[in-house]
Amino acid sequence: MVFKTISSDLMLQAHQKSKTGQLPQYIPCLSEADPQWLAVAFLSIDNQLQIKGDSQQIFPLMSVIKPFVLLYLLEHLGEKLVFERVGNKSSDLPFNSLSQLEIDDGFPRNPMINSGAITLASFLIGKNSKLRAENICFWLNQKSNSKLFLSETVLNSVRSLSNPLNQAIVEKLTAKGVLENPELALDTYNHICCLSGTVIDLVRLGLLLVKGSDYVLLKHYQIVSEIMTTSGLYEASADFAAKVGLPTKSGVSGAVLSLIPEQGAIATYSPPLNSQGNSVAGLWLVEQLNI
Ligand code: GLN
């Protein structure tokens, strides 16, 4: 297939858009990112790659890892066990909302919000948080031919400030009997959010969800892609689905991954975020490139 060309003019406009966004302050290394960084990668199912901008810039995936944790656990535990632990309904409140979990009586509404992702992180395989993150990283790199790695620098930065909302979510999940080992669950979650790479790595990961792999069940990547559509951008998901219609996941680092069913994937990186924690320029670019 022939993708729309990522023109210099489009990149210039995206830069302009990004100026309305803000950098997150609760993870120091993300607050120190250059707001001007902008990168886009397009990869088609026949492996044609188009890149533009700061495509060598490395960033942590943060919440963009969540669909891949779901995929990994669907493959390793199966659908029944996974959806006994988290729901598949869209959420109406921010990604780290304790109220959402309280409304749902301690049952995480979906795997794209923090309560669901922390719960799923508690089922990852490995003796400790680091080995768990390395196992899923190895599995994903193998399946998608990407070069993700665990960034200790980002992890130290995440750990340097307390995160009272994630802590409160963990306490609620523990009180409800969802988490057996709260410290391990949260530490594993923090590790997997620090898996890092470039837009090229991210777009390769995305293609895994479009094309599958010989070893990944078709049904599983369909489930993941549906949940990305309904919940990948948190409370902004429904509007984006109506307007753009592509399964999409964002991360607080400014990463965005969109799937173009049967055709390919788009990955973008631009740190400034809108009020819902989604990259301003990233969402704008996906919308433009999908026209
Ligand atoms: N580690 C981040 C957090 O829990 C990830 C959130 C995100 O990317 N939206 O706050």
Side-chain angles (χ1 to χ4, degrees):
M1 78 156 284
V2 183
F3 279 136
K4 186 166 172 172
T5 309
I6 313 165
S7 67
S8 304
D9 186 47
L10 209 61
M11 296 296 277
L12 221 66
Q13 287 184 59
H15 259 136
Q16 279 306 114
K17 298 273 168 195
S18 72
K19 290 187 181 148
T20 61
Q22 304 284 325
L23 298 180
Q25 297 301 314
Y26 72 101
I27 299 178
C29 69
L30 300 184
S31 72
E32 287 153 15
D34 183 341
Q36 302 256 39
W37 281 331
L38 179 66
V40 192
F42 241 156
L43 183 61
S44 66
I45 49 165
D46 52 3
N47 271 321
Q48 290 180 53
L49 178 68
Q50 204 190 140
I51 48 175
K52 199 91 182 174
D54 304 300
S55 58
Q56 298 308 316
Q57 185 59 50
I58 289 169
F59 53 87
L61 297 185
M62 291 286 148
S63 284
V64 182
I65 194 63
K66 292 171 179 171
F68 299 97
V69 174
L70 175 61
L71 182 72
Y72 178 88
L73 289 178
L74 284 170
E75 286 288 303
H76 288 83
L77 298 182
E79 196 181 334
K80 186 170 174 290
L81 279 182
V82 167
F83 290 109
E84 274 168 16
R85 282 147 180 155
V86 292
N88 59 5
K89 303 264 177 302
S90 60
S91 40
D92 316 314
L93 293 169
F95 64 89
N96 51 6
S97 165
L98 178 63
S99 314
Q100 183 77 74
L101 189 61
E102 281 167 345
I103 292 165
D104 297 333
D105 198 26
F107 182 69
R109 191 175 280 218
N110 68 60
M112 303 295 128
I113 52 176
N114 289 9
S115 57
I118 295 170
T119 301
L120 288 189
S122 76
F123 294 102
L124 287 175
I125 300 151
K127 260 198 253 158
N128 56 42
S129 315
K130 189 168 180 201
L131 289 174
R132 288 167 165 222
E134 283 173 355
N135 281 343
I136 184 170
C137 185
F138 180 76
W139 188 82
L140 288 170
N141 282 341
Q142 230 189 8
K143 299 261 169 294
S144 65
N145 200 20
S146 47
K147 293 192 180 76
L148 297 177
F149 67 96
L150 175 65
S151 167
E152 297 284 347
T153 315
V154 179
L155 184 62
N156 288 336
S157 183
V158 166
R159 286 170 161 169
S160 69
L161 291 182
S162 66
N163 187 328
L165 278 172
N166 280 351
Q167 196 55 49
I169 287 172
V170 164
E171 278 162 25
K172 176 84 186 166
L173 291 169
T174 311
K176 281 282 163 187
V178 176
L179 297 180
E180 275 174 26
N181 186 338
E183 286 82 27
L184 180 61
L186 185 56
D187 199 43
T188 303
Y189 169 77
N190 284 337
H191 273 74
I192 56 176
C193 284
C194 297
L195 294 179
S196 302
T198 65
V199 279
I200 302 171
D201 296 307
L202 184 54
V203 83
R204 288 200 169 123
L205 272 187
L207 205 66
L208 177 63
L209 291 171
V210 176
K211 210 166 128 175
S213 115
D214 292 349
Y215 309 100
V216 178
L217 271 183
L218 173 68
K219 191 169 176 221
H220 290 164
Y221 55 82
Q222 280 168 345
I223 292 174
V224 176
S225 137
E226 272 161 31
I227 294 187
M228 282 172 75
T229 303
T230 57
S231 314
L233 299 172
Y234 322 113
E235 66 274 38
S237 305
D239 277 355
F240 193 79
K243 201 157 124 196
V244 183
L246 301 180
T248 298
K249 184 74 203 85
S250 63
V252 80
S253 52
V256 172
L257 173 66
S258 288
L259 312 179
I260 313 171
E262 288 165 29
Q263 296 183 46
I266 311 172
T268 63
Y269 172 57
S270 165
L273 308 176
N274 64 19
S275 58
Q276 288 142 341
N278 299 320
S279 167
V280 178
L283 293 190
W284 183 82
L285 272 170
V286 170
E287 194 181 333
Q288 303 309 307
L289 292 168
N290 189 39
I291 291 168

